[in-house]
Amino acid sequence: MLSAKPGPIGIFDSGYGGLTILHGIRQLLPEYDYLYLGDNARAPYGSRSFDVVYEFTRQAVQRLFEMGCHLVVLGCNTASAKALRTIQQNDLPQWDSERRVLGIIRPTAEVIGSLTKSRHVGVLATEGTIKSESYNLEIQKLHPDIVVSGVACPFWVPLVEYNEADSPGADYFVKKRIDQIMRLDPQIDCLILGCTHYPLLMPKILKYLPDGVRVVPQGEYVADSLKDYFRRNTAIEQKCSKGRTVRYLTTENPDKFKEQAQIFLHEPVEVENITLGYLV
């Protein structure tokens, strides 16, 4: 039986990148309680099939609901691309039709129309997110006149997680993908960072991006969107507890999570271990 009492806002990611989403939300909405869950033992999700990503994400959302969350944000582009719709349509009605699961692709798609002047937009993301074409579909649903081009950046996540984002070696991989997407469409004037790890590569990205191209990280736009969502959905907002606390859960080694979290949050965190299901 799921609790009816107010509970924390759940933030789920396959690993550490969702910490940039959590940070952005906490900056704007610090008064709420948060429960972050990283499925680090089964990360990365980027190259996994739709069915596997859906099952893993479903397990995580169900656990966060069981731990008192009424609202869960999928702070992971791959989970948002491959699992969100199925969970919303198939699982929520069975679990509790008054609970909510939100993704992070639509908020970016909504705002991009007001940011691009050329109406040509680029997306840099994981292989799974690019193959899903979720950004293309969401953006063109809202802004049919915008041309969207995407490029997968398979080495960018390891660069961040191995704390190599500032290293000289990172320049080669960042420049290669920036050059690739600008060759694909030289009219691009906005570049969406469609993976939550990528903001940590921002200095390198800005270094190699042509003048006049705007970078669009997700954290601030997801936070703005959530604030607006609460304004429009007061019943859900009232079910989110306000105590300014944050708990961190990982399916991997808590000590490893603490070390990695420092890279993303620049502050020490306490972490608990949790088990979600089978490993594949």
Side-chain angles (χ1 to χ4, degrees), residues 257-269:
F257 187 98
K258 286 181 189 179
E259 187 179 316
Q260 289 289 322
Q262 294 259 24
I263 299 171
F264 289 86
L265 299 176
H266 307 293
E267 65 181 26
V269 300

Side-chain angles (χ1 to χ4, degrees), residues 11-14 17-19 21 36 73-77 80 102 104 196:
I11 310 282
F12 170 69
D13 185 29
S14 59
L19 293 169
I21 298 298
Y36 183 92
V73 178
L74 302 184
C76 172
N77 284 277
S80 295
L102 306 177
I104 58 174
T196 51

Side-chain angles (χ1 to χ4, degrees), residues 25-238:
I25 293 174
R26 284 182 67 200
Q27 291 287 104
L28 189 65
L29 302 168
E31 65 272 27
Y32 296 91
D33 295 315
Y34 295 93
L35 182 56
Y36 183 92
L37 170 55
D39 189 13
N40 307 86
R42 302 188 292 192
Y45 281 15
S47 58
R48 292 188 181 274
S49 70
F50 272 75
D51 288 345
V52 169
V53 171
Y54 160 65
E55 180 56 31
F56 286 2
T57 305
R58 181 182 179 278
Q59 290 171 9
V61 171
Q62 189 169 23
R63 179 62 64 87
L64 287 167
F65 282 164
E66 289 168 356
M67 296 182 77
C69 299
H70 292 264
L71 169 71
V72 173
V73 178
L74 302 184
C76 172
N77 284 277
T78 303
S80 295
K82 294 183 175 183
L84 176 64
R85 189 160 297 173
T86 307
I87 288 173
Q88 288 176 331
Q89 293 176 352
N90 296 357
D91 296 306
L92 278 181
Q94 298 177 40
W95 290 338
D96 183 342
S97 60
E98 294 188 0
R99 295 186 189 242
R100 295 291 181 266
V101 182
L102 306 177
I104 58 174
I105 292 175
R106 188 174 179 86
T108 315
E110 287 173 345
V111 79
I112 202 68
S114 64
L115 301 178
T116 174
K117 293 184 172 60
S118 71
R119 315 309 280 174
H120 288 252
V121 170
V123 179
L124 297 177
T126 63
E127 181 186 357
T129 299
I130 295 298
K131 282 186 175 177
S132 75
E133 297 194 338
S134 294
Y135 275 98
N136 307 52
L137 295 169
E138 285 293 338
I139 290 172
Q140 290 176 346
K141 198 187 302 176
L142 298 166
H143 315 286
D145 61 319
I146 293 180
V147 177
V148 183
S149 302
V151 165
C153 307
F155 294 104
W156 286 22
V157 168
L159 283 172
V160 171
E161 293 198 351
Y162 285 100
N163 208 10
E164 294 290 331
D166 296 326
S167 71
D171 287 70
Y172 169 80
F173 295 103
V174 172
K175 184 178 188 301
K176 182 177 181 179
R177 299 308 175 190
I178 296 286
D179 290 349
Q180 183 181 349
I181 199 161
M182 295 311 298
R183 278 198 306 271
L184 205 57
D185 184 357
Q187 295 185 64
I188 287 171
D189 71 346
C190 281
L191 191 61
I192 295 170
L193 302 186
C195 173
T196 51
H197 282 67
Y198 295 178
L200 277 79
L201 289 161
M202 188 70 81
K204 304 283 190 193
I205 293 168
L206 294 174
K207 180 178 177 181
Y208 294 109
L209 207 57
D211 291 341
V213 179
R214 178 174 186 160
V215 184
V216 184
Q218 296 172 294
E220 62 186 276
Y221 299 111
V222 171
D224 287 338
S225 179
L226 182 58
K227 184 176 182 179
D228 183 62
Y229 181 85
F230 280 158
R231 183 183 57 79
R232 292 180 288 106
N233 297 271
T234 53
I236 285 289
E237 190 278 334
Q238 288 166 7

